Amino acid sequence: MRARLLILAGAVLALLLSTLTGCSDGDSGTGGKVRLRFQSLAWQKESVAATKALVKEWNAAHPEIQVQYVQGSWDTVHDQLLTAFEGGEAPDVIHDASDDLADFAYGGYLADLRTLLPSGLKADIPARSWETATFGKGVYGVPFLQEPRVLIANSKILKSSGVRIPTPEQPWTWEEFREVAKKLSGKGRYGIAWPLKEPVSITLNLGLSTGGRLFHREADGKVRVAFEEADAAVPSVVHDQVNVDGSAARTTLGMGGSDTLPGFFGGRYAMAALGFSYRQQIVQQAPKGFEWTVLPAPAGSEGLAQGVSPQTLSVAEDSPHKEEAAEFVGFLLRPRNMVRLAQGDWMLPTGTAALKDPALHTARYGWATGAALAGALRSAPAQSVRGYPEWKDKVATPALQEYYSGAIDLGQLRKRLVKDGNLVLARYQR
Amino acid sequence: MTSRTSSTRSTSSTRSTGSTGSWGRAGQYLALLGYLVFLAFPFLWLISTAFKPARELGSLHPTWIPRHPTLDNFRQAFDEQPLLRAGLNSLVAAASAALIAVVVATPMAYVMARRRGRLATAATGWVVVSQAFPFVLLIIPLFLVLKSLHLINSVAGLVMVYVVWSLPFALWMLVGYVRAVPLELEEAAAVDGAGRLRTLVSVTAPLLAPGIVATGLFAFITAWNEFFFALVLLKTPEKQTLPVVLTHFLGAEGAADLGPLAAAAFLATLPSLAVFAVIQRRITSGMLAGAVKS
């Protein structure tokens, strides 16, 4: 009797599985064509449209090399790629950010692009941008879009306060910025919102303007953390704005960039320190008649320098069609196409030819201000430091959060970043 | 006098108990209401967000009822992402996984519940231990196994994973339900001359039906909501399930296309609510059927 039941259950199972295998993948039958999978992380309406349009154009012009657009997600790309690489099923062309590439590059999952890319593309992108995707001696991604952190300001409050309006040529110094934030503060209003839910990259990237490096590569090639005066300059200003001047909103310390927008629109913050691409959300969500402007981040001894981790396009080492994949990357990143991608993502292209496009130099939505900052963007300080993710999560994030909230002082912050930090990095550099 | 006093005391005591009882009941209702509000809040807020235009999403003073309700978020969600196809994939994967899990788990649970011995104890122990493995550890070996079976990027492969994943808990649930069916009923049926199969079909199965339905529902909802396996195992857009497609509305550093995301998420909750609503009736009718039989 039991046997009959088991046979019955087995038969149902077999039937279901045979039905479902009809849904399985059909990658075969390519008819001699090369088929490439391109995993894109474009997510905003315009950027998805621009990317899909470029894929369509490529496919129309290259019937022998067909590209399939695959939608990925920023939130999950690292885990998803890691599994796909391990299983030998990675997409041929991979969209990611340069700060996510180090482990994949050192792990041998990405193709070295130095001999694969068209020379025009190699020459068009400046060396400082190539540095962001260079690991060891190889280049494992093409950096193509980047965004500086800027100050987005409520124009009415700014004008009525009478403060000097900064420009990329004459930015505020950090000291001046601190004074301005005080002036812009008032009853129920803060001068600046610092969304510091993820405080580490903002702190390190803006710290380049005052000469902060934090990570020092020594003669033996090992990296150690040092927190010097130049490294302390930017965090000190933010700390004092929150805890001494009261010109920065304490509540925003735990927020992401999007979370500050309602307060910004409601006049609670005169300025917000945000990525350049947040302009798209502001355009979509700002109340009618709301006037806003884009200002450069404050400058230090190194001028407007700040660190960035550009978006990149890479080719999988396991791809059987690396040359074709690189050819497709070359097509996507032709200057005119790079401009289309940049406009779709509300970011800046890395290519010098694309950056000259008049569409990126209009005053509307602050494009011109952003474009003027492009020359000051550098590789993020932690770009190729192995062990950085652990240092960031276990040491730097809690330490900086405590420092900005006033729970610990600068000496304690230094001790934790350096002493605990070097212990973490040492494990990766044995 | 004494008796009057006693009677008065008694009445007073009854009143007092009645008053305490009604206060207690009011407190219970209040607690229940609070719990319901707590449960409903995210869903109601999701609905509200789904119908709000972009400018209201950025308001410092958000309202429950959208001031200018719009369907734009739904239009945009459907324009930008293949929600229908993803929904169908999710439905096929979740329904198949639930069905297979129940079909496989029911006889196993019956054996484990009725046969007491070392093997059954060891099997039960293994079921418990298997729940302790974080699936992040399993994903790469699983990926390689499925790859060798040519089941990567296949809904069938995903269903296999979901069955394996939900089976231990389904088994655990069903063992409890089987144990709740009195063995005496089966023995009585046997005494009345019913064979083993007849006993199982006519006596045990009706009593077990609510448990089977509840287990199936659990397996369905688990598979419907599952994200990580689907993300890793499905490569092409045609095969992706709803939870994976929903992440396409998210950008870097926590940025989100909130309106279309809420619209799509609201739509994604509807099938599981519908399944729950339909199956809940079955659970009730199954209980009644069991009650009549016993």
Side-chain angles (χ1 to χ4, degrees), chain A residues 177-424:
Chain A
F177 165 65
R178 190 176 160 188
E179 291 306 314
V180 167
K182 275 194 232 174
K183 273 191 186 173
L184 297 180
S185 302
K187 198 178 174 187
R189 189 173 78 208
Y190 294 94
I192 177 80
W194 283 104
L196 289 173
K197 189 179 173 185
E198 302 281 347
V200 183
S201 63
I202 300 179
T203 306
L204 294 188
N205 289 341
L206 289 179
L208 285 187
S209 67
T210 57
R213 291 165 61 198
L214 209 75
F215 295 103
H216 298 259
R217 197 170 288 278
E218 296 179 336
D220 59 1
K222 289 185 177 174
V223 175
R224 88 187 150 80
V225 184
F227 191 74
E228 296 163 350
E229 204 176 326
D231 297 296
V234 171
S236 297
V237 169
V238 178
H239 171 273
D240 290 350
Q241 285 181 321
V242 175
N243 298 288
V244 180
D245 306 340
S247 59
R250 184 180 294 277
T251 49
T252 62
L253 294 179
M255 290 183 182
S258 302
D259 304 328
T260 61
L261 292 181
F264 178 61
F265 298 145
R268 189 166 287 176
Y269 321 123
M271 297 184 289
L274 296 168
F276 194 52
S277 62
Y278 273 90
R279 295 169 302 135
Q280 192 240 14
Q281 287 193 42
I282 292 172
V283 169
Q284 277 186 349
Q285 295 180 13
K288 278 180 187 167
F290 182 81
E291 292 176 29
W292 56 279
T293 187
V294 176
L295 309 175
S301 58
E302 303 294 315
L304 287 166
Q306 61 172 283
V308 285
S309 295
Q311 293 186 20
T312 53
L313 290 175
S314 303
V315 174
E317 176 63 21
D318 280 352
S319 169
H321 307 294
K322 286 200 267 291
E323 286 180 11
E324 291 86 348
E327 199 183 333
F328 172 66
V329 170
F331 165 81
L332 272 185
L333 302 185
R334 284 177 188 169
R336 180 62 204 134
N337 294 345
M338 215 191 267
V339 172
R340 289 163 68 184
L341 292 171
Q343 286 179 307
D345 248 338
W346 292 70
M347 295 176 99
L348 297 173
T350 55
T352 48
L355 203 54
K356 287 178 187 159
D357 193 292
L360 305 180
H361 290 270
T362 61
R364 190 172 160 81
Y365 302 142
W367 277 107
T369 304
L373 299 174
L377 304 181
R378 305 278 180 272
S379 178
Q383 196 71 42
S384 57
V385 176
R386 303 200 76 177
Y388 167 73
E390 187 179 337
W391 175 82
K392 184 182 80 168
D393 292 341
K394 291 187 180 167
V395 177
T397 299
L400 282 169
Q401 281 172 340
E402 287 178 47
Y403 174 64
Y404 286 137
S405 69
I408 59 173
D409 63 19
L410 197 63
Q412 290 166 301
L413 173 69
R414 177 180 288 114
K415 190 178 167 189
R416 284 172 59 176
L417 290 180
V418 176
K419 193 179 169 193
D420 298 352
N422 280 324
L423 285 174
V424 170

Side-chain angles (χ1 to χ4, degrees), chain A residues 9 30 34 93 113 146 157 179 188 203 286:
Chain A
T30 54
V34 170
V93 180
L113 299 174
Q146 57 189 349
I157 297 175
E179 291 306 314
T203 306

Side-chain angles (χ1 to χ4, degrees), chain B residues 270-290:
Chain B
L270 293 182
S272 57
L273 284 180
V275 168
F276 206 148
V278 170
I279 286 182
Q280 200 182 25
R281 269 185 237 136
R282 304 263 172 183
I283 293 175
T284 314
S285 64
M287 280 174 176
L288 290 174

